[in-house]
Amino acid sequence: MHTNDYLTHLQREGELLADAAAKAGEHTSVPTCPGWTTGDLVRHTGTVHRWAARIVAERLAGPVPEDPMPEEPTGAALPPWFLDGHARLIATLRAAGQGTDCWTVLPAASPLAFWARRQAHETAVHRVDAESARGGELSTLDPVFAADGIDELLTGFHARPRSRVRAEHPRTLRVRPTDADAAWTVRLSADAAPRTERSADGPADCELTGRAQDLYLMLWNRLPLDAATLTGDAALAALWRETSAVT
């Protein structure tokens, strides 16, 4: 995917998030984020948007701690505060050149590519959180975008030593969307971060198949395990569920 593609998704997902949060109400509990209200979710996402925009705009070297919130927006001030930060993030990323040099959380082709991708997926996952608070059907995700989000999670976040996904004995998990040309084989062990290959080669102890958007949200723990078709060792999928939260 290209930077402009990510920015298109970022714009859509932020607008959907704002709409769902407004319909849910600021004090509604978010089922997918236990302990959070919709207001907490909106303030968190809006703060992350401002943090990312500042890193790119000011070409900051890192790591950069998340910006403190000078005054917590509430009530009628919350939706415009969120939308303002969302718009500023998109404008900052659109104005940044491919040669922009700043800190990133994960390796990427360029800092701009990283931040456009990361903020699009950050916002998409939290849009789902807002819609879960609102109730009703979730908005659909483009299969290519959802598959890209799976790739970021498996080859990015869970390639880091801080990933807590470990298996007592070597195990292999496969993820295969039915509506996108992609597949991943995740090798787990007791003493190292998961190793993910972009292939479906070789045997797997457990395989998860289904629509890319369902696999994406399931792997981010936003949908239950039965959102996918599971073959093989169900305990391995449960292990992922229990240990894969990204912090």
Side-chain angles (χ1 to χ4, degrees):
M1 293 180 63
H2 299 293
T3 298
N4 284 340
D5 298 322
Y6 290 121
L7 296 182
T8 297
H9 287 290
L10 173 57
Q11 180 154 359
R12 172 186 185 265
E13 296 298 326
E15 290 169 354
L16 287 172
L17 189 160
D19 180 70
K23 289 175 179 173
E26 183 180 353
H27 303 293
T28 301
S29 296
V30 181
T32 49
C33 298
W36 275 19
T37 65
T38 305
D40 295 328
L41 174 71
V42 172
R43 283 184 285 271
H44 164 77
T45 311
T47 299
V48 169
H49 286 172
R50 286 163 168 78
W51 171 71
R54 186 169 70 86
I55 291 169
V56 175
E58 299 179 18
R59 285 24 176 197
L60 298 180
V64 180
E66 192 170 293
D67 294 341
M69 191 178 299
E71 184 175 341
E72 189 171 276
T74 60
L78 184 56
W81 174 86
F82 172 80
L83 289 170
D84 177 66
H86 176 242
R88 279 196 278 152
L89 172 62
I90 293 170
T92 297
L93 294 171
R94 287 199 188 282
Q98 288 296 332
T100 297
D101 188 19
C102 61
W103 175 67
T104 64
V105 178
L106 301 172
S110 70
L112 177 60
F114 166 79
W115 284 111
R117 183 191 206 194
R118 175 82 291 276
Q119 290 307 299
H121 289 299
E122 172 88 9
T123 308
V125 170
H126 287 319
R127 180 269 294 170
V128 170
D129 294 328
E131 290 184 343
S132 75
R134 179 206 61 196
E137 292 188 7
L138 299 177
S139 301
T140 59
L141 283 165
D142 173 73
V144 173
F145 178 67
D148 181 81
I150 296 171
D151 188 80
E152 183 201 40
L153 181 64
L154 297 182
T155 69
F157 282 107
H158 286 292
R160 300 183 300 174
R162 68 188 297 178
S163 172
R164 297 185 302 111
V165 183
R166 299 287 190 274
E168 185 176 354
H169 304 290
R171 309 290 283 164
T172 303
L173 173 68
R174 177 157 298 132
V175 179
R176 193 199 305 256
T178 55
D179 56 353
D181 184 17
W184 299 266
T185 299
V186 186
R187 303 190 187 281
L188 307 179
S189 64
D191 56 1
R195 292 187 301 106
T196 298
E197 303 161 5
R198 295 183 179 101
S199 78
D201 295 338
D205 298 297
C206 176
E207 181 165 313
L208 301 170
T209 58
R211 296 187 305 170
Q213 78 167 29
D214 294 334
L215 293 171
Y216 173 56
L217 296 177
M218 192 201 73
L219 291 168
W220 272 106
N221 293 331
R222 263 54 183 193
L223 288 179
L225 288 174
D226 62 11
T229 299
L230 188 156
T231 54
D233 184 3
L236 186 53
L239 173 71
W240 177 276
R241 190 79 175 179
E242 294 161 5
T243 62
S244 65
V246 172
T247 58

